[in-house]
Structures are given as structure tokens and as C-alpha cells.
Amino acid sequence: MRFFLTVIPLTAAFIIAACSPPGPQAPAGAAPAAASTASSPAPGRLAPATAALGTPEWFSWVDTTLAVSDDGHGPQPNTPAWDQAVNAKLGEEAPQSEPGSAEWQQAVDALLRTRVAAH
């Protein structure tokens, strides 16, 4: 008898929870909430919208996105060796401007934003 008194309320609670409608939904055709991604990026990976060009956060985002340092076993960000490694990772898509320059950073940023958005 005690078994039924314990199981029945639990079963009823489960059925009620399973039949309840989901929380609020976005209107049809609405874009997913990008703000939540930008405000809470994955650990170790900053969202590009939160990192200004040339900042340590931006270098970290590029480094993580392209896996340049390979868990800290590569060139340090914001060095000529790192710039060359970024170009090597980008291959044919690498910017033609001077590696490390503001124009180069802008081109790398635009390219990576396009790549990340495509995935």
C-alpha cells in the first residue's frame, strides 16, 4: 500500500509535467537570440561582438577560433610569428595586407565572423 502512495503522486507529477506546454516561444520567422550568445560565450571562447579589434580578448577569440596556439603550445598572440600562423590557418583566404596591421586585423575579423556565422 505504501508503494502505491509513493508511486502514484510521482507518476502523476511526471505526466502533468510532460503534458505541460513549453515556455514562451519566439514568433515564427524570428531570428534566434544572438544577445544570449554574446553575453554568455562558451568558456575560453569570446563572442566576436564582445571583442574590439586589437584587444587581448580579440586575439584570444581569433586564437581559439583558428586553434593557432593549440592549447598554449604555439606562438604568442600579437607577435609576427602568430600573425604568420593565422595567415597559414586561413590559407588562400588570408588577407593580403601587412600581417598585424589594423587593415589585416579588420580583414581577419570579417572573415572569421563570416565563417563562424556560417557554422
Side-chain angles (χ1 to χ4, degrees):
M1 182 78 165
R2 287 185 186 175
F3 176 75
F4 289 117
L5 294 176
T6 304
V7 173
I8 291 175
L10 290 176
T11 305
F14 177 73
I15 291 172
I16 292 170
C19 294
S20 298
Q25 295 179 352
S36 63
T37 304
S39 64
S40 58
R45 183 179 182 119
L46 293 173
T50 63
L53 294 178
T55 62
E57 293 83 12
W58 182 82
F59 285 110
S60 176
W61 174 71
V62 172
D63 192 72
T64 303
T65 302
L66 292 176
V68 175
S69 294
D70 192 27
D71 295 327
H73 297 103
Q76 293 295 315
N78 199 20
T79 63
W82 185 83
D83 296 342
Q84 292 302 323
V86 168
N87 275 347
K89 291 280 188 172
L90 293 174
E92 293 178 2
E93 297 177 312
Q96 298 302 310
S97 52
E98 180 68 29
S101 67
E103 294 82 17
W104 180 82
Q105 290 178 5
Q106 187 173 13
V108 168
D109 188 74
L111 180 61
L112 291 182
R113 286 175 189 258
T114 303
R115 280 187 177 184
V116 170
H119 292 284

